[in-house]
Amino acid sequence: MDKIQLKALAKVNLGLDVLRRREDGYHEVKMIMQTINLYDELEIRKVKQPGIQVKTNLYYLPTNENNLVYKAAKLLADEFQIPDGICIHLQKKIPVAAGMAGGSSDGAAVLWGLNQMYGLGLSRRGLMERGVRLGADVPYCVLRGTALAEGIGEKLRTLPSMPKCYLLIAKPGISVSTRAVYENLHANDLKPEQHPDVDAMIDALEKKDLGLLSAHMGNVLEEVTIPAHPVIREIKKCMMEAGALGALMSGSGPTVFGVFENQTKARKAFRAVKVSRLAKQVYLTVPYNVIPLWDQDTDREG
């Protein structure tokens, strides 16, 4: 196999709680992750020129070791002594620095793609164990679907799929540093009522109750990001007034997503958010719950 094409899917956090700051500087989290049908496209190709090349449609993205795509390729190339040059074309569609794990998903896609191309024989678990070296969200981006993430995000348990619904995604024209948000969250000082009830969300998923799930959605990082960027609160309000069952910031922000029970309400909200000009990027999509062995198209050459 000389070429492989993959979709790297984005995620939203249905619930995100931070339990404490650990002595090593990382934060202990408890969160529910949900893959959505919004994705970057990657093509990985063997080339004669040695080394790793990364090309992307966004001029401001790094194409060296500062990009998770590059790091993922180097990790496997070094471990398995891959002799070929590797060229990766990355077509970014997931908003950047948006709390949607776009970079982590791209890295996960490269791990999966190289494993397929070179027949490395790594299981999904093996890829996830290597993925955590790249970032806390990468193991989940290998797993995908609906999952509970604990520890620093690497301890994963598959949950019942999110009920059928429509998701409105809106990213304002700002970027947020995940590291800065966590550094400014004083987890040990939070009051009990500031923590979302993640267990209640799991119960709602088990009952397939979209209304109950939406009512319990919560993200403790909003305590930091919203005061710094009030537009996030305005987008949430716009979605709720347009008929969302619930609206929440994803990850460390600034992306907001709204949950809608039918397409008619979702499209009405889409128009409302567009007219408001509160967001620079707006998408209407659905949860991605049917997880095959990744989406891939392969070409065999020569």
Side-chain angles (χ1 to χ4, degrees):
M1 189 186 301
D2 292 323
K3 182 176 74 172
I4 189 168
Q5 293 175 311
L6 295 154
K7 295 177 181 178
L9 290 141
K11 64 85 180 165
V12 293
N13 295 92
L14 303 179
L16 195 164
D17 195 12
V18 178
L19 306 180
R20 65 182 181 91
R21 184 184 177 94
R22 307 191 328 179
E23 291 182 3
D24 60 7
Y26 287 97
H27 289 78
E28 198 82 17
V29 298
K30 186 175 183 179
M31 52 191 180
I32 299 176
M33 318 273 265
Q34 174 63 54
T35 307
I36 64 173
N37 196 27
L38 175 63
Y39 53 85
D40 294 338
E41 296 179 353
L42 293 96
E43 179 185 273
I44 308 172
R45 181 188 290 269
K46 296 178 185 178
V47 294
K48 293 182 180 179
Q49 182 178 342
I52 299 164
Q53 305 171 45
V54 177
K55 300 178 181 180
T56 177
N57 60 314
L58 299 181
Y59 71 91
Y60 52 83
L61 287 184
T63 55
N64 55 16
E65 62 276 0
N66 294 317
N67 191 311
L68 278 180
V69 162
Y70 185 103
K71 289 182 180 180
K74 190 172 190 311
L75 188 153
L76 292 186
D78 288 350
E79 179 179 354
F80 292 93
Q81 297 296 299
I82 293 175
D84 304 305
I86 299 168
C87 184
I88 304 167
H89 285 263
L90 170 60
Q91 185 76 15
K92 288 293 296 181
K93 297 180 181 178
I94 302 170
V96 177
M100 303 183 74
S104 295
S105 191
D106 296 337
V110 171
L111 293 179
W112 185 275
L114 290 179
N115 187 47
Q116 295 294 105
M117 285 179 68
Y118 288 95
L120 302 181
L122 294 173
S123 65
R124 190 184 296 267
R125 176 58 57 185
L127 293 173
M128 292 165 66
E129 289 171 352
R130 286 162 177 79
V132 75
R133 302 180 205 168
L134 303 173
D137 282 344
V138 178
Y140 166 73
C141 292
V142 173
L143 178 67
R144 309 201 301 184
T146 312
L148 174 69
E150 297 180 283
I152 63 169
E154 87 288 6
K155 297 177 183 177
L156 297 164
R157 173 164 66 92
T158 300
L159 296 174
S161 299
M162 189 178 185
K164 182 179 178 181
C165 63
Y166 293 86
L167 299 174
L168 179 59
I169 310 295
K171 180 187 180 288
I174 54 176
S175 295
V176 172
S177 164
T178 298
R179 175 176 290 183
V181 171
Y182 274 95
E183 287 178 350
N184 285 285
L185 179 73
H186 304 293
N188 297 336
D189 298 331
L190 293 172
K191 299 174 182 177
E193 61 270 18
Q194 291 177 288
H195 292 276
D197 192 344
V198 176
D199 290 334
M201 285 178 252
I202 295 173
D203 182 58
L205 285 168
E206 291 172 346
K207 293 177 178 176
K208 295 292 182 185
D209 191 327
L210 184 63
L212 185 63
L213 173 65
S214 301
H216 281 99
M217 290 193 314
N219 182 347
V220 74
L221 298 183
E222 288 187 344
E223 301 284 342
V224 176
T225 310
I226 288 181
H229 303 287
V231 66
I232 296 169
R233 182 185 295 109
E234 295 177 44
I235 294 172
K236 289 178 63 176
K237 181 182 178 183
C238 182
M239 289 186 181
M240 293 300 293
E241 289 177 347
L245 293 174
L248 192 69
M249 183 182 82
S250 181
S252 56
T255 300
V256 175
F257 68 95
V259 180
F260 296 84
E261 57 191 334
N262 62 61
Q263 194 175 52
T264 300
K265 289 183 179 179
R267 285 182 170 173
K268 176 185 173 184
F270 177 89
R271 291 191 294 269
V273 173
K274 291 283 281 187
V275 168
S276 75
R277 297 180 180 271
L278 293 169
K280 187 174 181 180
Q281 295 168 277
V282 186
Y283 305 91
L284 187 56
T285 186
V286 294
Y288 194 94
N289 288 323
V290 181
I291 310 299
L293 285 177
W294 280 63
D295 302 294
Q296 56 179 294
D297 301 304
T298 61
D299 289 338
R300 298 182 183 273
E301 301 175 350

